[in-house]
Amino acid sequence: MQSNGAGQGQEPGLSCLGSAQNGESSSAAGAHSNGLASGTNNGSSPGPNSGAASGPAAGTPTASGSGSEAASIKKKKRLSQSEEDVIRLIGQHLHGLGLNQTVELLMQESGCRLEHPSATKFRSHVMEGEWDKAENDLNELKPLMHSPNAIVVTTESLQTLLMKFLLLQQKYLEYLEDGKVLEALQVLRGELTPLKYNTERIHVLSGYLMCSHAEDLRAKAEWEGKGVTSRCRLLDKLQTYLPPSVMLPPRRLQTLLRQAVELQRDRCLYHNTKLDSSLDSVSLLLDHVCSRKQFPCYTQQILTEHCNEVWFCKFSNDGTKLATGSKDTTVIIWQVDSETHQLKLLKTLEGHAYGVSYLAWSPDDTYLIACGPDDCSELWLWNVQTGELRTKMSQSHEDSLTSVAWNPDGKRFVTGGQRGQFYQCDLEGNLLDSWEGVRVQCLWCLSDGRTVLASDTHQRIRGYNFEDLTDRNIVQEDHPIMSFTVSKNGRLALLNVATQGVHLWDLQDRVLVRKYQGVTQGFYTIHSCFGGHNEDFIASGSEDHKVYIWHKRSELPIAELTGHTRTVNCVSWSPTMPSLMASASDDGTVRIWGPAPFMDTQELDGINGNQGDPLG
């Protein structure tokens, strides 16, 4: 972590010496959450040794001074840079809480100072709206600006120019809000414009002269108005041009703590709840650990209504339903209880003579399309709400329609198979476009509404555009791609590759990101999925009768779920309930997976203090 304090060669007095100044300048008349306390000296003006306690203990021991005093001062001098940084961070945080006397005592006892005296004075003038004085302060700060640790690294003259521009902009807006149009015009013409910086912004500022009232000004300028809030925001911007040895970045301790919490969450293998950036939602006293018991690793329900192999399962986009397709020629629609996560049979859709090997929900979940295996030339488009068959489509008895994907507009879909058919159709099954000679294994429509991804018999995924009839290669594998799915943001593709397993590809950069280990994948069609909050997890069926789950960033599985007795053909993760997952198997069952059935409140919270084995 980058040091935030003064380093070697910094200006004198920034290190923790017994005679170091506290930075409490008598000019610091106002209090601000990011600066030094005001009035902490009860009106007395601090002297050059204001950072140390008064009396012999503050300086060099007198003749009557004890050895313990000398030892104390010697100890102060041995404070490391990191120790000084921590003291300053604590002081800044305490000051933000209004504990100003505590801050003063901390600085006196440690021999540190919170910030440079010039920065303290500058902060005070900005918060009080004394713009001329704040401008003059820039001259004192200018020699201190040259630091490689500054958040924004620029030349000294440019830094001063940028800071002056920000000050004058605030001054101008406050004059306008107060109705002092002539004074505002003078700032615009006589002070801002001569800077010859950001002419476009000056044009925008001049337009605010036409605002009829203060509310109109604040709305158009997207500005909080004159007062503490806007001046604090201004200070936050100004601080980015100053090195942390001069003025600490705003709320620095909170920032570091938030980063630590986020890092622990990122490294937590089982973290599967919505991220909350607020520190109030966690305890800082314990490391973040999520238990495996909170993860969908436990069988909650076994659905046995199918009477043959179950080839496919898919949750609806709103997560309220699950569709399962089977070799028994039926599709079953299950209703998901959002509270108990239990499923009950809602509808059975019959008549798929060859069985159902693939299902696709329309974007609004009104319709469901069912496809069959290789020798099936038909597809069925069902109205899920009524249970009625809207369209039964077949272009030719020689076709093989084994895959389908919806266009995002919900009015069209593409379908195809390994016999060279690749069609785009409307809801009535009418052929809109076709692409000849493409032997399709799996399909996906991207969110742009134009590009269709298709895996083919040449071990690749290509992008096809039906509007301008162009196509391009995106993914090239060395073995057959049995199926694939795409993340919600369209960036990543998850492939089940024959004899290889599960591969993660970046579609934008067209590179293989990761190969996941453990799964047994031969030449059966197995469907994997993204899942969990932010799609941080990946799940896949396997020919060894298991369900495998990985964290997206880790090649090794974090869970191997047992229970099925034959090949697991498909896994689907609920898009709205991160702790709910379904798997379909050749054993004729659909298993619903969820957290451990009996968990105490602390485990359900899943934020801190969980003692579950993180490796399962």
Side-chain angles (χ1 to χ4, degrees):
M1 188 175 298
Q2 173 177 295
S3 171
N4 294 310
Q8 295 295 326
Q10 297 278 349
E11 52 279 358
L14 284 180
S15 58
C16 283
L17 300 177
S19 60
Q21 291 183 357
N22 188 347
E24 295 283 350
S25 171
S26 59
S27 62
H32 174 239
S33 61
N34 295 320
L36 297 175
S38 63
T40 53
N41 292 322
N42 298 322
S44 61
S45 178
N49 291 319
S50 60
S54 59
T60 304
T62 60
S64 60
S66 67
S68 62
E69 291 173 335
S72 174
I73 294 173
K74 189 174 181 181
K75 186 177 181 180
K76 289 179 185 178
K77 293 182 180 180
R78 288 202 301 266
L79 282 177
S80 68
Q81 186 63 61
S82 62
E83 289 170 334
E84 179 186 348
D85 291 345
V86 170
I87 289 172
R88 294 179 67 207
L89 292 173
I90 293 172
Q92 184 192 46
H93 184 68
L94 292 175
H95 188 275
L97 298 176
L99 304 177
N100 301 328
Q101 294 182 357
T102 305
V103 175
E104 183 182 7
L105 182 61
L106 174 63
M107 294 302 136
Q108 289 177 351
E109 190 168 355
S110 65
C112 299
R113 68 180 179 192
L114 204 52
E115 60 186 15
H116 195 281
S118 298
T120 303
K121 186 168 60 173
F122 178 64
R123 180 192 301 279
S124 174
H125 290 154
V126 169
M127 292 306 298
E128 292 170 5
E130 297 182 4
W131 306 117
D132 292 339
K133 292 182 180 179
E135 264 192 79
N136 291 331
D137 294 337
L138 291 179
N139 295 324
E140 295 183 29
L141 292 171
K142 187 175 180 179
L144 309 176
M145 291 182 188
H146 182 64
S147 169
N149 293 327
I151 299 174
V152 178
V153 180
T154 58
T155 63
E156 291 178 17
S157 57
L158 181 56
Q159 283 177 304
T160 306
L161 176 65
L162 296 175
M163 294 177 75
K164 187 173 182 180
F165 188 91
L166 291 172
L167 287 172
L168 292 175
Q169 178 178 255
Q170 178 81 9
K171 179 180 178 181
Y172 168 76
L173 292 173
E174 291 193 7
Y175 274 146
L176 279 183
E177 187 182 46
D178 289 341
K180 299 177 180 179
V181 179
L182 291 178
E183 289 86 342
L185 191 58
Q186 173 58 33
V187 172
L188 185 67
R189 291 180 175 176
E191 298 183 70
L192 276 167
T193 303
L195 294 179
K196 297 181 180 179
Y197 173 76
N198 203 345
T199 306
E200 183 178 344
R201 177 59 179 168
I202 289 178
H203 288 323
V204 173
L205 291 174
S206 64
Y208 299 153
L209 288 165
M210 307 303 295
C211 294
S212 57
H213 48 78
E215 291 78 7
D216 188 27
L217 171 66
R218 289 192 290 268
K220 289 184 177 178
E222 297 180 351
W223 178 62
E224 298 86 350
K226 179 179 178 179
V228 173
T229 303
S230 66
R231 291 174 181 175
C232 283
R233 192 178 295 273
L234 171 62
L235 262 176
D236 288 350
K237 293 178 182 178
L238 293 168
Q239 282 177 264
T240 61
Y241 298 102
L242 295 171
S245 58
V246 176
M247 182 183 284
L248 283 174
R251 297 167 293 280
R252 181 60 182 161
L253 182 60
Q254 292 96 316
T255 299
L256 292 174
L257 293 174
R258 191 176 297 110
Q259 289 173 352
V261 170
E262 290 173 356
L263 180 62
Q264 288 191 14
R265 283 173 173 169
D266 287 343
R267 291 181 175 178
C268 179
L269 290 177
Y270 297 107
H271 188 76
N272 192 27
T273 56
K274 186 177 181 180
L275 295 177
D276 187 347
S277 59
S278 171
L279 291 177
D280 294 334
S281 64
V282 299
S283 169
L284 300 176
L285 306 181
L286 293 168
D287 285 345
H288 173 92
V289 179
C290 289
S291 169
R292 188 180 190 272
K293 294 181 180 179
Q294 304 160 238
F295 211 67
C297 295
Y298 302 85
T299 300
Q300 289 192 333
Q301 197 174 357
I302 303 176
L303 310 178
T304 59
E305 277 71 7
H306 284 295
C307 56
N308 210 324
E309 298 172 357
V310 187
W311 288 339
F312 200 82
C313 62
K314 185 70 174 178
F315 281 100
S316 59
N317 297 295
D318 63 7
T320 62
K321 299 177 183 65
L322 175 72
T324 57
S326 171
K327 187 178 180 181
D328 67 6
T329 75
T330 68
V331 172
I332 297 180
I333 308 297
W334 308 85
Q335 186 71 44
V336 182
D337 189 306
S338 60
E339 294 184 1
T340 65
H341 291 188
Q342 292 291 300
L343 279 69
K344 64 179 181 180
L345 194 151
L346 186 63
K347 290 184 178 70
T348 300
L349 311 176
E350 301 176 333
H352 311 86
Y354 296 90
V356 179
S357 62
Y358 196 84
L359 295 164
W361 291 89
S362 64
D364 63 358
D365 294 326
T366 300
Y367 300 106
L368 182 72
I369 296 179
C371 298
D374 288 344
D375 51 356
C376 180
S377 62
E378 302 170 323
L379 62 76
W380 293 259
L381 195 158
W382 296 91
N383 185 314
V384 178
Q385 296 174 348
T386 65
E388 297 176 349
L389 180 65
R390 172 163 177 168
T391 305
K392 183 179 180 181
M393 176 192 142
S394 178
Q395 294 295 326
S396 167
H397 292 295
E398 301 297 323
D399 285 354
S400 171
L401 304 181
T402 58
S403 185
V404 66
W406 284 89
N407 189 286
D409 64 11
K411 300 176 181 178
R412 297 169 288 163
F413 61 87
V414 291
T415 183
Q418 290 198 11
R419 296 179 184 173
Q421 297 77 39
F422 189 11
Y423 304 132
Q424 182 169 229
C425 309
D426 63 16
L427 297 185
E428 305 304 325
N430 299 317
L431 188 63
L432 301 177
D433 296 290
S434 66
W435 211 292
E436 297 297 330
V438 181
R439 298 180 181 274
V440 173
Q441 177 73 23
C442 191
L443 293 166
W444 194 275
C445 288
L446 295 184
S447 58
D448 62 9
R450 298 185 305 272
T451 307
V452 179
L453 301 182
S455 61
D456 57 29
T457 53
H458 296 285
Q459 305 168 4
R460 64 190 180 183
I461 295 177
R462 292 180 66 81
Y464 297 86
N465 189 317
F466 276 96
E467 293 182 3
D468 56 19
L469 299 180
T470 59
D471 62 311
R472 58 193 176 97
N473 206 45
I474 297 178
V475 169
Q476 182 66 61
E477 283 279 1
D478 296 327
H479 298 81
I481 300 171
M482 307 308 296
S483 69
F484 76 93
T485 186
V486 178
S487 60
K488 289 179 181 178
N489 61 13
R491 179 71 185 262
L492 300 174
L494 195 61
L495 285 59
N496 284 75
V497 184
T499 72
Q500 302 301 300
V502 180
H503 292 180
L504 183 69
W505 279 79
D506 186 316
L507 296 178
Q508 181 174 310
D509 295 338
R510 303 184 192 182
V511 294
L512 177 62
V513 177
R514 195 158 285 113
K515 296 181 179 180
Y516 297 102
Q517 301 178 20
V519 68
T520 303
Q521 169 77 65
F523 287 90
Y524 287 111
T525 300
I526 293 177
H527 300 273
S528 55
C529 68
F530 294 95
H533 266 297
N534 302 317
E535 294 191 323
D536 283 335
F537 302 97
I538 286 166
S540 178
S542 176
E543 293 179 20
D544 64 3
H545 315 164
K546 297 179 183 178
V547 174
Y548 287 83
I549 302 177
W550 301 266
H551 196 286
K552 193 163 58 179
R553 296 191 305 271
S554 175
E555 295 180 358
L556 297 176
I558 61 173
E560 299 177 17
L561 313 186
T562 58
H564 286 295
T565 57
R566 293 183 64 189
T567 295
V568 180
N569 299 306
C570 184
V571 179
S572 181
W573 210 306
S574 171
T576 58
M577 305 173 202
S579 60
L580 188 66
M581 189 173 63
S583 59
S585 170
D586 281 348
D587 64 11
T589 68
V590 176
R591 283 185 176 251
I592 307 302
W593 305 88
F598 302 106
M599 298 171 60
D600 58 35
T601 305
Q602 186 181 13
E603 286 179 318
L604 283 172
D605 288 341
I607 300 299
N608 288 290
N610 297 305
Q611 301 303 316
D613 181 357
L615 297 179

